[in-house]
PDB file of all heavy atoms in Angstrom:
ATOM      1  N   PHE A   1      46.903 -71.543  49.822  1.00 93.00           N
ATOM      2  CA  PHE A   1      46.059 -71.470  51.078  1.00 93.00           C
ATOM      3  C   PHE A   1      47.065 -71.536  52.242  1.00 93.00           C
ATOM      4  O   PHE A   1      47.934 -72.300  52.416  1.00 93.00           O
ATOM      5  CB  PHE A   1      45.203 -72.754  51.186  1.00 93.00           C
ATOM      6  CG  PHE A   1      44.154 -72.786  50.098  1.00 93.00           C
ATOM      7  CD1 PHE A   1      44.354 -73.563  48.949  1.00 93.00           C
ATOM      8  CD2 PHE A   1      43.037 -71.991  50.108  1.00 93.00           C
ATOM      9  CE1 PHE A   1      43.415 -73.670  47.962  1.00 93.00           C
ATOM     10  CE2 PHE A   1      42.072 -72.032  49.105  1.00 93.00           C
ATOM     11  CZ  PHE A   1      42.262 -72.912  48.014  1.00 93.00           C
ATOM     12  N   GLY A   2      46.838 -70.472  53.129  1.00 91.00           N
ATOM     13  CA  GLY A   2      47.796 -70.317  54.237  1.00 91.00           C
ATOM     14  C   GLY A   2      47.846 -71.526  55.211  1.00 91.00           C
ATOM     15  O   GLY A   2      48.826 -71.743  55.890  1.00 91.00           O
ATOM     16  N   SER A   3      46.773 -72.359  55.183  1.00 93.00           N
ATOM     17  CA  SER A   3      46.837 -73.599  56.016  1.00 93.00           C
ATOM     18  C   SER A   3      47.480 -74.796  55.353  1.00 93.00           C
ATOM     19  O   SER A   3      47.679 -75.804  55.996  1.00 93.00           O
ATOM     20  CB  SER A   3      45.336 -73.891  56.331  1.00 93.00           C
ATOM     21  OG  SER A   3      44.635 -74.198  55.165  1.00 93.00           O
ATOM     22  N   ASN A   4      47.849 -74.671  54.111  1.00 95.00           N
ATOM     23  CA  ASN A   4      48.473 -75.854  53.378  1.00 95.00           C
ATOM     24  C   ASN A   4      49.970 -75.879  53.674  1.00 95.00           C
ATOM     25  O   ASN A   4      50.760 -75.461  52.921  1.00 95.00           O
ATOM     26  CB  ASN A   4      48.239 -75.660  51.927  1.00 95.00           C
ATOM     27  CG  ASN A   4      48.515 -76.961  51.197  1.00 95.00           C
ATOM     28  OD1 ASN A   4      49.282 -77.836  51.625  1.00 95.00           O
ATOM     29  ND2 ASN A   4      47.847 -77.155  49.969  1.00 95.00           N
ATOM     30  N   VAL A   5      50.227 -76.373  54.901  1.00 95.00           N
ATOM     31  CA  VAL A   5      51.623 -76.327  55.414  1.00 95.00           C
ATOM     32  C   VAL A   5      52.527 -77.194  54.540  1.00 95.00           C
ATOM     33  O   VAL A   5      53.657 -76.796  54.315  1.00 95.00           O
ATOM     34  CB  VAL A   5      51.575 -76.881  56.850  1.00 95.00           C
ATOM     35  CG1 VAL A   5      53.040 -77.008  57.384  1.00 95.00           C
ATOM     36  CG2 VAL A   5      50.804 -75.963  57.787  1.00 95.00           C
ATOM     37  N   ALA A   6      51.996 -78.316  53.974  1.00 95.00           N
ATOM     38  CA  ALA A   6      52.756 -79.103  53.085  1.00 95.00           C
ATOM     39  C   ALA A   6      53.235 -78.370  51.858  1.00 95.00           C
ATOM     40  O   ALA A   6      54.387 -78.422  51.360  1.00 95.00           O
ATOM     41  CB  ALA A   6      52.020 -80.365  52.678  1.00 95.00           C
ATOM     42  N   ARG A   7      52.307 -77.574  51.281  1.00 96.00           N
ATOM     43  CA  ARG A   7      52.697 -76.735  50.060  1.00 96.00           C
ATOM     44  C   ARG A   7      53.685 -75.703  50.387  1.00 96.00           C
ATOM     45  O   ARG A   7      54.543 -75.421  49.598  1.00 96.00           O
ATOM     46  CB  ARG A   7      51.325 -76.168  49.530  1.00 96.00           C
ATOM     47  CG  ARG A   7      51.498 -75.422  48.159  1.00 96.00           C
ATOM     48  CD  ARG A   7      51.827 -76.307  47.051  1.00 96.00           C
ATOM     49  NE  ARG A   7      50.898 -77.409  47.047  1.00 96.00           N
ATOM     50  CZ  ARG A   7      49.589 -77.352  46.638  1.00 96.00           C
ATOM     51  NH1 ARG A   7      49.093 -76.207  46.160  1.00 96.00           N
ATOM     52  NH2 ARG A   7      48.818 -78.410  46.669  1.00 96.00           N
ATOM     53  N   LEU A   8      53.528 -75.076  51.579  1.00 97.00           N
ATOM     54  CA  LEU A   8      54.409 -74.045  51.939  1.00 97.00           C
ATOM     55  C   LEU A   8      55.853 -74.664  52.085  1.00 97.00           C
ATOM     56  O   LEU A   8      56.831 -74.024  51.651  1.00 97.00           O
ATOM     57  CB  LEU A   8      54.008 -73.369  53.249  1.00 97.00           C
ATOM     58  CG  LEU A   8      52.702 -72.595  53.227  1.00 97.00           C
ATOM     59  CD1 LEU A   8      52.318 -72.168  54.620  1.00 97.00           C
ATOM     60  CD2 LEU A   8      52.844 -71.400  52.268  1.00 97.00           C
ATOM     61  N   LYS A   9      55.950 -75.879  52.656  1.00 96.00           N
ATOM     62  CA  LYS A   9      57.229 -76.528  52.786  1.00 96.00           C
ATOM     63  C   LYS A   9      57.824 -76.931  51.410  1.00 96.00           C
ATOM     64  O   LYS A   9      59.017 -76.619  51.134  1.00 96.00           O
ATOM     65  CB  LYS A   9      57.086 -77.750  53.615  1.00 96.00           C
ATOM     66  CG  LYS A   9      58.440 -78.444  53.905  1.00 96.00           C
ATOM     67  CD  LYS A   9      58.304 -79.591  54.840  1.00 96.00           C
ATOM     68  CE  LYS A   9      59.749 -80.244  55.101  1.00 96.00           C
ATOM     69  NZ  LYS A   9      59.654 -81.440  56.041  1.00 96.00           N
ATOM     70  N   THR A  10      57.005 -77.360  50.545  1.00 95.00           N
ATOM     71  CA  THR A  10      57.463 -77.736  49.169  1.00 95.00           C
ATOM     72  C   THR A  10      57.985 -76.433  48.403  1.00 95.00           C
ATOM     73  O   THR A  10      59.097 -76.468  47.859  1.00 95.00           O
ATOM     74  CB  THR A  10      56.299 -78.337  48.329  1.00 95.00           C
ATOM     75  OG1 THR A  10      55.909 -79.542  49.006  1.00 95.00           O
ATOM     76  CG2 THR A  10      56.806 -78.660  46.963  1.00 95.00           C
ATOM     77  N   LEU A  11      57.252 -75.382  48.540  1.00 97.00           N
ATOM     78  CA  LEU A  11      57.645 -74.131  47.914  1.00 97.00           C
ATOM     79  C   LEU A  11      58.989 -73.555  48.562  1.00 97.00           C
ATOM     80  O   LEU A  11      59.879 -73.200  47.825  1.00 97.00           O
ATOM     81  CB  LEU A  11      56.551 -73.028  48.036  1.00 97.00           C
ATOM     82  CG  LEU A  11      55.342 -73.224  47.156  1.00 97.00           C
ATOM     83  CD1 LEU A  11      54.148 -72.389  47.699  1.00 97.00           C
ATOM     84  CD2 LEU A  11      55.696 -72.861  45.720  1.00 97.00           C
ATOM     85  N   ALA A  12      59.055 -73.667  49.866  1.00 97.00           N
ATOM     86  CA  ALA A  12      60.208 -73.155  50.507  1.00 97.00           C
ATOM     87  C   ALA A  12      61.468 -73.989  50.151  1.00 97.00           C
ATOM     88  O   ALA A  12      62.556 -73.468  49.952  1.00 97.00           O
ATOM     89  CB  ALA A  12      59.978 -73.152  52.016  1.00 97.00           C
ATOM     90  N   GLU A  13      61.302 -75.287  50.096  1.00 96.00           N
ATOM     91  CA  GLU A  13      62.502 -76.112  49.722  1.00 96.00           C
ATOM     92  C   GLU A  13      62.894 -75.873  48.326  1.00 96.00           C
ATOM     93  O   GLU A  13      64.119 -75.872  47.996  1.00 96.00           O
ATOM     94  CB  GLU A  13      62.151 -77.628  50.026  1.00 96.00           C
ATOM     95  CG  GLU A  13      62.007 -77.976  51.514  1.00 96.00           C
ATOM     96  CD  GLU A  13      61.573 -79.341  51.762  1.00 96.00           C
ATOM     97  OE1 GLU A  13      61.009 -79.982  50.809  1.00 96.00           O
ATOM     98  OE2 GLU A  13      61.841 -79.829  52.882  1.00 96.00           O
ATOM     99  N   ALA A  14      61.910 -75.647  47.455  1.00 95.00           N
ATOM    100  CA  ALA A  14      62.244 -75.355  46.005  1.00 95.00           C
ATOM    101  C   ALA A  14      63.029 -74.022  45.986  1.00 95.00           C
ATOM    102  O   ALA A  14      63.872 -73.817  45.143  1.00 95.00           O
ATOM    103  CB  ALA A  14      61.054 -75.310  45.225  1.00 95.00           C
ATOM    104  N   ALA A  15      62.646 -73.011  46.837  1.00 96.00           N
ATOM    105  CA  ALA A  15      63.304 -71.751  46.897  1.00 96.00           C
ATOM    106  C   ALA A  15      64.738 -71.861  47.238  1.00 96.00           C
ATOM    107  O   ALA A  15      65.648 -71.263  46.750  1.00 96.00           O
ATOM    108  CB  ALA A  15      62.566 -70.768  47.811  1.00 96.00           C
ATOM    109  N   VAL A  16      64.968 -72.698  48.294  1.00 96.00           N
ATOM    110  CA  VAL A  16      66.367 -72.900  48.811  1.00 96.00           C
ATOM    111  C   VAL A  16      67.139 -73.528  47.745  1.00 96.00           C
ATOM    112  O   VAL A  16      68.373 -73.127  47.503  1.00 96.00           O
ATOM    113  CB  VAL A  16      66.386 -73.786  50.091  1.00 96.00           C
ATOM    114  CG1 VAL A  16      67.745 -74.166  50.490  1.00 96.00           C
ATOM    115  CG2 VAL A  16      65.695 -72.987  51.177  1.00 96.00           C
ATOM    116  N   ALA A  17      66.700 -74.528  46.998  1.00 95.00           N
ATOM    117  CA  ALA A  17      67.328 -75.123  45.884  1.00 95.00           C
ATOM    118  C   ALA A  17      67.730 -74.155  44.802  1.00 95.00           C
ATOM    119  O   ALA A  17      68.731 -74.425  44.091  1.00 95.00           O
ATOM    120  CB  ALA A  17      66.528 -76.344  45.380  1.00 95.00           C
ATOM    121  N   ALA A  18      66.909 -73.155  44.659  1.00 95.00           N
ATOM    122  CA  ALA A  18      67.190 -72.168  43.557  1.00 95.00           C
ATOM    123  C   ALA A  18      67.938 -70.942  44.200  1.00 95.00           C
ATOM    124  O   ALA A  18      67.975 -69.873  43.553  1.00 95.00           O
ATOM    125  CB  ALA A  18      65.774 -71.633  42.991  1.00 95.00           C
ATOM    126  N   ASP A  19      68.515 -71.088  45.325  1.00 96.00           N
ATOM    127  CA  ASP A  19      69.377 -70.034  46.004  1.00 96.00           C
ATOM    128  C   ASP A  19      68.476 -68.813  46.328  1.00 96.00           C
ATOM    129  O   ASP A  19      68.979 -67.717  46.059  1.00 96.00           O
ATOM    130  CB  ASP A  19      70.593 -69.703  45.092  1.00 96.00           C
ATOM    131  CG  ASP A  19      71.583 -68.905  45.886  1.00 96.00           C
ATOM    132  OD1 ASP A  19      71.709 -69.078  47.220  1.00 96.00           O
ATOM    133  OD2 ASP A  19      72.297 -68.109  45.296  1.00 96.00           O
ATOM    134  N   ARG A  20      67.338 -69.009  46.796  1.00 97.00           N
ATOM    135  CA  ARG A  20      66.444 -67.852  47.194  1.00 97.00           C
ATOM    136  C   ARG A  20      66.177 -67.895  48.674  1.00 97.00           C
ATOM    137  O   ARG A  20      66.039 -68.917  49.335  1.00 97.00           O
ATOM    138  CB  ARG A  20      65.101 -67.978  46.354  1.00 97.00           C
ATOM    139  CG  ARG A  20      65.213 -67.682  44.925  1.00 97.00           C
ATOM    140  CD  ARG A  20      63.809 -67.709  44.355  1.00 97.00           C
ATOM    141  NE  ARG A  20      63.945 -67.522  42.830  1.00 97.00           N
ATOM    142  CZ  ARG A  20      63.787 -66.303  42.232  1.00 97.00           C
ATOM    143  NH1 ARG A  20      63.648 -65.222  42.944  1.00 97.00           N
ATOM    144  NH2 ARG A  20      63.822 -66.250  40.920  1.00 97.00           N
ATOM    145  N   THR A  21      66.204 -66.685  49.274  1.00 97.00           N
ATOM    146  CA  THR A  21      65.798 -66.502  50.608  1.00 97.00           C
ATOM    147  C   THR A  21      64.282 -66.418  50.747  1.00 97.00           C
ATOM    148  O   THR A  21      63.674 -65.837  49.816  1.00 97.00           O
ATOM    149  CB  THR A  21      66.458 -65.204  51.184  1.00 97.00           C
ATOM    150  OG1 THR A  21      67.843 -65.331  51.063  1.00 97.00           O
ATOM    151  CG2 THR A  21      66.109 -64.917  52.607  1.00 97.00           C
ATOM    152  N   ILE A  22      63.734 -66.860  51.805  1.00 98.00           N
ATOM    153  CA  ILE A  22      62.238 -66.947  51.980  1.00 98.00           C
ATOM    154  C   ILE A  22      61.763 -65.894  52.963  1.00 98.00           C
ATOM    155  O   ILE A  22      62.352 -65.724  54.058  1.00 98.00           O
ATOM    156  CB  ILE A  22      61.892 -68.329  52.474  1.00 98.00           C
ATOM    157  CG1 ILE A  22      62.378 -69.423  51.503  1.00 98.00           C
ATOM    158  CG2 ILE A  22      60.331 -68.462  52.578  1.00 98.00           C
ATOM    159  CD1 ILE A  22      62.663 -70.712  52.196  1.00 98.00           C
ATOM    160  N   CYS A  23      60.695 -65.241  52.608  1.00 98.00           N
ATOM    161  CA  CYS A  23      60.054 -64.307  53.444  1.00 98.00           C
ATOM    162  C   CYS A  23      58.518 -64.646  53.407  1.00 98.00           C
ATOM    163  O   CYS A  23      57.930 -64.791  52.320  1.00 98.00           O
ATOM    164  CB  CYS A  23      60.280 -62.856  53.024  1.00 98.00           C
ATOM    165  SG  CYS A  23      59.377 -61.605  53.928  1.00 98.00           S
ATOM    166  N   VAL A  24      57.923 -64.671  54.538  1.00 97.00           N
ATOM    167  CA  VAL A  24      56.507 -65.048  54.645  1.00 97.00           C
ATOM    168  C   VAL A  24      55.719 -63.721  54.951  1.00 97.00           C
ATOM    169  O   VAL A  24      56.059 -63.017  55.958  1.00 97.00           O
ATOM    170  CB  VAL A  24      56.190 -66.089  55.695  1.00 97.00           C
ATOM    171  CG1 VAL A  24      54.703 -66.320  55.832  1.00 97.00           C
ATOM    172  CG2 VAL A  24      56.957 -67.307  55.378  1.00 97.00           C
ATOM    173  N   MET A  25      54.610 -63.468  54.222  1.00 97.00           N
ATOM    174  CA  MET A  25      53.763 -62.339  54.427  1.00 97.00           C
ATOM    175  C   MET A  25      52.271 -62.802  54.648  1.00 97.00           C
ATOM    176  O   MET A  25      51.785 -63.455  53.775  1.00 97.00           O
ATOM    177  CB  MET A  25      53.866 -61.344  53.194  1.00 97.00           C
ATOM    178  CG  MET A  25      55.081 -60.526  53.093  1.00 97.00           C
ATOM    179  SD  MET A  25      54.916 -59.443  51.591  1.00 97.00           S
ATOM    180  CE  MET A  25      56.398 -58.534  51.678  1.00 97.00           C
ATOM    181  N   GLY A  26      51.756 -62.284  55.702  1.00 94.00           N
ATOM    182  CA  GLY A  26      50.334 -62.711  55.935  1.00 94.00           C
ATOM    183  C   GLY A  26      50.201 -63.329  57.372  1.00 94.00           C
ATOM    184  O   GLY A  26      50.869 -64.232  57.621  1.00 94.00           O
ATOM    185  N   ARG A  27      49.338 -62.642  58.233  1.00 93.00           N
ATOM    186  CA  ARG A  27      49.215 -63.145  59.559  1.00 93.00           C
ATOM    187  C   ARG A  27      48.776 -64.684  59.684  1.00 93.00           C
ATOM    188  O   ARG A  27      49.299 -65.359  60.440  1.00 93.00           O
ATOM    189  CB  ARG A  27      48.227 -62.269  60.309  1.00 93.00           C
ATOM    190  CG  ARG A  27      47.973 -62.680  61.731  1.00 93.00           C
ATOM    191  CD  ARG A  27      47.126 -61.534  62.388  1.00 93.00           C
ATOM    192  NE  ARG A  27      46.598 -61.937  63.611  1.00 93.00           N
ATOM    193  CZ  ARG A  27      45.407 -62.568  63.923  1.00 93.00           C
ATOM    194  NH1 ARG A  27      44.630 -62.752  62.846  1.00 93.00           N
ATOM    195  NH2 ARG A  27      44.983 -62.902  65.047  1.00 93.00           N
ATOM    196  N   SER A  28      47.774 -64.959  58.853  1.00 93.00           N
ATOM    197  CA  SER A  28      47.228 -66.355  58.952  1.00 93.00           C
ATOM    198  C   SER A  28      48.228 -67.377  58.574  1.00 93.00           C
ATOM    199  O   SER A  28      48.383 -68.449  59.195  1.00 93.00           O
ATOM    200  CB  SER A  28      45.975 -66.503  58.127  1.00 93.00           C
ATOM    201  OG  SER A  28      46.312 -66.205  56.692  1.00 93.00           O
TER     202      SER A  28
END
């Protein structure tokens, strides 16, 4: 859900730990 800011942060931090760059798609 685009409004689930906590989930987005958890996913983004997991991506950084896995040496992945983050790109966000979707206006909302």
Side-chain angles (χ1 to χ4, degrees):
F1 297 101
S3 57
N4 195 336
V5 175
R7 185 71 46 77
L8 295 174
K9 184 176 183 181
T10 300
L11 286 163
E13 289 176 343
V16 171
D19 194 29
R20 290 182 182 268
T21 299
I22 303 150
C23 175
V24 177
M25 288 184 176
R27 177 173 171 266
S28 62

